[in-house]
Amino acid sequence: MLEGKRILVTGVVNRRSIAFAVAERAQQLGADVILTSFGRIRRMTERSAARLPKAVEVVELDVNSERDLEALPAEIARTWDGVDGVLHAIAHAPGDALGGNFMGAPRASAIAAFETSAYSYKALARALTPLLEEASLVGLDFDAGVAWPSYDWMGVAKAALESTSRYLARELGPGGHRSNLISAGPIATAAASGVPGFSSLADSWRAGAPLGWEVTDPYPVADAVCLLFSDLSRAISGEIVHVDGGYHAVGGLMAPITPETARAVS
Ligand SMILES: NC(=O)c1ccc[n+]([C@@H]2O[C@H](COP(=O)([O-])OP(=O)(O)OC[C@H]3O[C@@H](n4cnc5c(N)ncnc54)[C@H](O)[C@@H]3O)[C@@H](O)[C@H]2O)c1
């Protein structure tokens, strides 16, 4: 499905990263992959990269560094003369912008969450524009249509990411490029462990998702990202695809499955 596609994947810090599953699946589907990482965590990214099916390069990118963004196209051009797909899997909020103190969070922390988690999607797209070839850009979202417990200013940043993706679809579409988001259910990653109350979110998903939801399995999300990288989705842009076991579509908890209901549906 991705044979010959050149896909840049940000956001691999370890093997639990959603981006790691995306890189693995993309390679299995025939893509060439380059990863980005930065600073002290680069060694962790390189260790994880060694577990991918095929060897990959890791290039430096702190998405808040203008110097890294300027250098990025030349770094990639050493290996590829174009880019077909980009995964934005980057988010960060200072601790005082999360965890239930929405009203008390300092201005600087809210701005930092926005800069790293939303503005960075535009910054990345802009830096890569000279290399994009009818490219598919994909970002990772957590449904910003409602206010969640504890998610606080990261939730606001995700709302901004959703809007940013629509503007990218508009700005890049005439050049033949697409921008879409996957709105994922909760996955147990390093970023998730920094969200106080993550386990109660995970419990809500287990109880509420019509298809069920496994927080340790990022592959349903990775598969949908690959679908968006593929030509099968060539006319989809500005979209938010929920990969959440159907949770977003229902209110309340699922009724427990009894032997009678199981018999009735079989
Ligand atoms: N885990 C979940 O439940 C969940 C659900 C929906 C969406 N998401 C989103 O998925 C994306 C990936 O997160 P994850 O859950 O796989 O966690 P993760 O911790 O594995 O990945 C987060 C990544 O962001 C990177 N990052 C942070 N600041 C950066 C910067 N300045 N420059 C470059 N990279 C930077 C980190 O290095 C890390 O690789 C995030 O956007 C997150 O909000 C996660």
Side-chain angles (χ1 to χ4, degrees):
M1 199 161 85
L2 300 180
E3 205 60 53
K5 301 256 186 222
R6 298 153 297 183
I7 295 177
L8 184 72
V9 173
T10 68
V12 174
V13 62
N14 58 36
R15 291 174 70 199
R16 288 187 300 140
S17 296
I18 298 172
F20 180 88
V22 171
E24 183 182 348
R25 279 289 201 257
Q27 285 189 335
Q28 288 166 347
L29 292 167
D32 285 331
V33 170
I34 292 179
L35 304 183
T36 73
S37 187
F38 71 113
R40 280 180 299 147
I41 68 156
R42 189 178 168 132
R43 291 191 56 190
M44 292 171 71
T45 305
E46 284 168 349
R47 266 203 302 277
S48 313
R51 309 301 291 265
L52 287 169
K54 289 185 240 163
V56 291
E57 252 181 83
V58 180
V59 302
E60 185 75 14
L61 178 66
D62 173 347
V63 85
N64 295 330
S65 156
E66 287 305 326
R67 204 177 56 179
D68 287 0
L69 287 163
E70 270 169 35
L72 186 65
E75 283 288 313
I76 292 169
R78 283 150 44 129
T79 312
W80 296 337
D81 54 9
V83 169
D84 304 292
V86 180
L87 177 70
H88 177 281
I90 295 172
H92 177 73
D96 55 6
L98 292 162
N101 184 25
F102 182 82
M103 299 298 278
R107 181 188 303 258
S109 300
I111 292 170
F114 166 77
E115 183 183 23
T116 305
S117 314
Y119 180 83
S120 63
Y121 189 30
K122 189 281 299 185
L124 179 63
R126 180 153 193 237
L128 291 170
T129 299
L131 287 175
L132 298 180
E133 290 183 7
E134 295 189 2
S136 170
L137 280 64
V138 182
L140 296 178
D141 185 25
F142 190 68
D143 193 349
V146 295
W148 298 103
S150 285
Y151 206 49
D152 297 356
W153 288 94
M154 182 57 89
V156 177
K158 287 300 188 193
L161 179 72
E162 292 182 354
S163 185
T164 303
S165 180
R166 287 188 285 269
Y167 274 93
L168 285 180
R170 176 194 148 108
E171 297 294 316
L172 301 179
H177 316 306
R178 304 183 279 124
S179 170
N180 293 291
L181 299 180
I182 296 290
S183 180
I187 300 287
T189 62
S193 64
V195 179
F198 174 81
S199 63
S200 66
L201 270 183
D203 289 345
S204 315
W205 244 262
R206 281 193 204 97
L211 289 173
W213 186 253
E214 182 44 72
V215 294
T216 57
D217 181 8
Y219 289 95
V221 177
D223 286 344
V225 172
C226 290
L227 175 69
L228 290 175
F229 283 148
S230 83
D231 295 339
L232 295 177
S233 64
R234 62 195 172 279
I236 300 177
S237 195
E239 191 56 272
I240 300 174
V241 180
H242 290 81
V243 181
D244 65 350
Y247 186 93
H248 71 283
V250 298
L253 303 182
M254 298 297 289
I257 297 174
T258 62
E260 291 71 35
T261 51
R263 263 198 303 281
V265 295
S266 62

